[in-house]
Amino acid sequence: MRAALLLIPLLALVASADDEISVIDFCRDYSLVAKKVMYERQQKKPMSDTLLQTIRLIEDWAKKYGVEMDSEKAEEGAATMVLEAYKAPTFPLDSVWREKRQDEIDSFENGVFEECYTQARDALDE
C-alpha cells in the first residue's frame, strides 16, 4: 500500500518528539483518514469530491501533530490515498452487501495503519 508514503518525512517528527507523540495515535489518526476515504469509495462518491475532502482531512491531521504542511504536500498525500482506494471494488448499497463493504473499509484502514506503524517503528529503531 502506497498510501503511507506521505508519512516518510513526518516520521522524523515522531522519532524526535521525546515521547510527546504516540506512534499508535499518530498512525491511528492517519488510518482514520484512510477509513473515511474508503467509506466514500464504497458510497460511490465522485473521486474529485473525495480528493478535496481528503486534502482537508490530511491538513487537519498534520495540524493536530504540529506539522507544517503546504497544500501541495497535502494534495500529494491525499491523491496517493484516494487513487489507491479507488482501485478497490465497490459493492451494492443494499444490506446484503453491507458486510463486504465494511470488510473493504476495514481492510484499507488496517493496511494504512500497519504501514504507518511499521515505518514509524523502523524510524524509531534507527
Side-chain angles (χ1 to χ4, degrees), residues 35 38 99 101-111:
K35 180 178 184 174
M38 185 54 79
E99 189 173 326
R101 284 192 315 274
Q102 191 60 50
D103 286 347
E104 199 69 38
I105 293 166
D106 293 345
S107 178
F108 192 71
E109 176 188 7
N110 288 333

Side-chain angles (χ1 to χ4, degrees), residues 9-101:
L10 302 179
L11 293 175
L13 170 74
V14 174
S16 64
D18 298 324
D19 297 327
E20 291 179 24
I21 294 177
S22 160
V23 172
I24 292 172
D25 291 341
F26 180 82
C27 292
R28 180 179 179 275
D29 288 344
Y30 191 69
S31 73
L32 290 176
V33 174
K35 180 178 184 174
K36 179 68 174 164
V37 169
M38 185 54 79
Y39 175 82
E40 296 298 322
R41 169 65 175 144
Q42 291 302 314
Q43 295 296 311
K44 300 180 181 174
K45 300 286 178 162
M47 187 185 291
S48 59
D49 292 347
T50 303
L51 180 58
L52 290 173
Q53 178 183 31
T54 306
I55 292 168
R56 287 191 298 275
L57 290 172
I58 287 177
E59 288 172 338
D60 291 345
W61 168 79
K63 284 179 193 170
K64 178 178 180 175
Y65 289 98
V67 176
E68 290 191 33
M69 179 182 293
D70 62 28
S71 59
E72 185 177 306
K73 198 61 157 172
E75 183 178 339
E76 179 183 330
T80 299
M81 186 181 288
V82 170
L83 291 171
E84 191 73 26
Y86 275 70
K87 291 177 185 176
T90 58
F91 298 95
L93 297 176
D94 59 29
S95 62
V96 176
W97 293 95
R98 182 176 301 152
E99 189 173 326
K100 289 296 276 179
R101 284 192 315 274

